[in-house]
Amino acid sequence: MNAAARSGRLGLGIIGAGRVGPVLGAALAGAGHAIVGISAVSAESRERAQAMLPQAPILQVPTLVERSELVILAVPDRELPSLVAGLAATETWQSGQLVLHTAPGHGVGVLRPAAEAGAIPLAVHPALEFTGTSLDLSRLGESWFAVTASTPVLPIAQALVVEMGGEPVVIAEEDRPAYAEAIATATAFSRSIVEQSTGILAGIGVENPGSFLSSLLRSAVDNALTRAGAPSALDVSLLDELNESGARPGDGPADDDGRGWFLRGE
């Protein structure tokens, strides 16, 4: 084990330079981890990697895995099984390294080939719709992360989420498909409603229909989330005042069990 691992700092390799991987890499780099490199194939992904992680070398996937203590697999759900199996077939996985994927529909079962080679599997999905820019770094601080891992290593996954500024929520392996459905439903309906509503307003001559609906949509979503158990902005403000005045936690609103306007990362 090298000095970085002993000190809790990890050499981080990122497979996938879409909207998610570079942002999570930047967040973990901000927490002190060292970026070993990132894989990027298309011109667009290379540009994104350069913007978010300007000091990170672009490496081939096998080289990246061999050099990293923590590997983030930020690839689409459908590509994940073949990627993991292919790296196992070429004996690329390293014993003792952490392997973390971000696909909402999979738990750690999809990482079994890596685990059989001695790697430690973690499934961590940020419930955030990513832009792939530095804007996402601040949004991570108001996001929840779905975490799935075996009991002995669950604290590792939770600690990584906290280092990225998020809040971990444990999702059981068998519940990952239902979790993915909830995320996809919320995302699809949100997009559809916004597109339909702004289209109607544009059709009757309203300029900047997105800006026109912004307050309405945010307040409607905030009210719906409040009814589902999440505190409103007013609730949070009042709770902060109660805490400052020395009131007991039990005197205020119920614990926050959901937050965030942005719902999915791909």
Side-chain angles (χ1 to χ4, degrees):
M1 183 179 294
N2 62 29
R6 286 195 300 271
S7 66
R9 302 301 87 186
L10 300 169
L12 170 63
I14 304 160
I15 298 178
R19 289 173 292 168
V20 177
V23 174
L24 298 188
L28 288 170
H33 298 286
I35 304 295
V36 171
I38 185 169
S39 70
V41 178
S42 69
E44 182 181 0
S45 64
R46 286 173 175 266
E47 187 175 310
R48 185 182 294 111
Q50 177 64 27
M52 291 298 299
L53 301 167
Q55 304 303 319
I58 295 176
L59 301 174
Q60 297 295 318
V61 169
T63 302
L64 198 61
V65 174
E66 290 170 358
R67 296 180 182 179
S68 301
E69 294 157 329
L70 167 61
V71 180
I72 291 182
L73 305 177
V75 299
D77 288 44
R78 64 184 180 276
E79 297 179 13
L80 186 59
S82 59
L83 173 62
V84 176
L87 290 170
T90 55
E91 300 183 347
T92 305
W93 295 117
Q94 307 296 302
S95 180
Q97 76 182 161
L98 299 168
V99 181
L100 182 157
H101 79 72
T102 63
H106 291 288
V108 294
V110 72
L111 298 176
R112 184 179 300 277
E116 290 174 346
I120 300 170
L122 310 171
V124 176
H125 176 257
L128 173 72
E129 184 162 72
F130 284 77
T131 64
T133 68
S134 57
L135 179 64
D136 296 329
L137 292 174
S138 61
R139 289 174 175 171
L140 287 177
E142 54 189 42
S143 300
W144 296 85
F145 287 60
V147 174
T148 304
S150 63
T151 301
V153 298
L154 185 59
I156 298 176
Q158 292 170 315
L160 289 170
V161 169
V162 171
E163 285 188 319
M164 287 186 279
E167 185 74 23
V169 175
V170 178
I171 302 294
E173 179 81 13
E174 62 271 19
D175 292 333
R176 292 290 291 214
Y179 166 78
E181 181 181 2
I183 295 298
T185 299
T187 305
F189 274 90
S190 298
R191 289 174 178 168
S192 177
I193 290 168
V194 170
E195 290 171 1
Q196 183 177 359
S197 299
T198 55
I200 293 171
L201 290 177
I204 62 173
V206 175
E207 296 183 2
N208 301 317
S211 298
F212 181 90
L213 290 176
S214 177
S215 295
L216 171 65
L217 290 172
R218 291 179 184 275
S219 60
V221 170
D222 185 58
N223 290 341
L225 290 173
T226 299
R227 288 192 292 271
S232 66
L234 178 60
D235 292 331
V236 172
S237 177
L238 289 174
L239 185 57
D240 288 342
E241 290 180 11
L242 287 171
N243 288 337
E244 290 174 2
S245 68
R248 291 174 295 124
D251 295 335
D255 288 342
D256 182 358
D257 63 359
R259 66 167 107 157
W261 165 259
F262 305 94
L263 296 170
R264 187 178 181 190
E266 294 177 327

